[in-house]
Amino acid sequence: SKRWSLQGSTALVTGGTKGIGHAIVEELCALGATVHTCSRNEAELNKCLQEWEKMKFNVTGSVCDISCRAERHKLMDKVSATFQGKLNILVNNAGAALYKPVVDLTAEDYTFIMTTNFESAFHLSQLSHPLLKASGNGSVILISSIAGRVALPGLTIYSASKGAMDQLTRNLACEWAKDTIRTNCIAPGYIKTPLAQTKLDDEDFVVKENSRIPLGYMGEPNDVAPIVAFLCMSGASYINGQIIYVDGGRTVNS
Ligand code: NDP
């Protein structure tokens, strides 16, 4: 039925060439959406776009470093032109992680993580507002992390950037509801992606971490992508301002 479809919807998914973003692009397309995505690496982006074309998915893409304000403006101009000024779904997915004790964090570390994760989500949401409003049915999705809620070792500045995304979710949910824009957030636990690879290669870490997850294992990008799709559907039309933890129960375990 129409409730379980994204037919006719348009979406911008940042960071669609790898990991969670790649799975989100494919999930939204499979449900009928038309998607624009971006990444910094042109060759990888073109490879993905070619594969999606073969799969008959409607995806376009831009090379864009979302940590750069001017590039965010260019990206949104492209999205507006591609989708005739209307956007149903913005997924703020692209992000970076950094493991360092607080005493070793530099000014550059701080700026890199805060601009890539938080400022990009904040500004792209701002820039998308007229398009989301014009669509008559808008959804902003932020990809946060369990690190926004629990203190994971070495991830302080990353966690702060995610905590800021969590609160941005609540404020946008209240401020933009009148424009028929809902805002929700997904906070994954450890998911098997290139971003988490150094941790996944550490066997001791994986054994210890898995023992703290009630389900006993780490997630896959495809454990996250369907939740994004659901939150954008009319079946979720009364969900607004929520943080959905997709973590195998990790954050509720004592
Ligand atoms: P990956 O590193 O696997 O993929 C990130 C994607 O974003 C790539 O397509 C990458 O392409 C793109 N990207 C990264 N930086 C930028 C940038 N500055 N501008 C444009 N595109 C960029 O990450 P994940 O899929 O693991 O992570 C996605 C989101 O999920 C992040 O926000 C992350 O914090 C969050 N998350 C991940 C968890 C995990 O365990 N994996 C757990 C909890 C949350 P390119 O490098 O070519 O630009």
Side-chain angles (χ1 to χ4, degrees), residues 13 36 67 71 88 93 116 137 153 155 166 186 193 213 219 239 248:
V13 179
H36 192 84
S67 70
E71 291 194 29
N88 296 108
N93 164 76
T116 304
N137 176 26
L155 276 176
D166 291 355
I186 296 174
T193 73
I213 303 168
I239 302 184

Side-chain angles (χ1 to χ4, degrees), residues 183-199:
T183 306
N184 289 291
C185 180
I186 296 174
Y190 277 101
I191 305 293
K192 293 173 189 163
T193 73
L195 180 110
Q197 200 54 52
T198 53
K199 288 284 163 186

Side-chain angles (χ1 to χ4, degrees), residues 14-22 38-42 44 64-68 92-97 112 116-117 143-147 158 162 165 186-196 221:
T14 62
T17 60
K18 287 179 218 157
I20 295 170
H22 188 268
C38 71
S39 79
R40 292 165 299 181
N41 186 309
E42 184 168 22
E44 281 175 13
C64 171
D65 181 345
I66 55 148
S67 70
C68 168
N92 287 299
N93 164 76
F112 171 64
T116 304
N117 295 355
I143 306 298
S144 174
S145 165
I146 58 167
Y158 175 82
K162 296 302 187 181
M165 290 173 77
I186 296 174
Y190 277 101
I191 305 293
K192 293 173 189 163
T193 73
L195 180 110

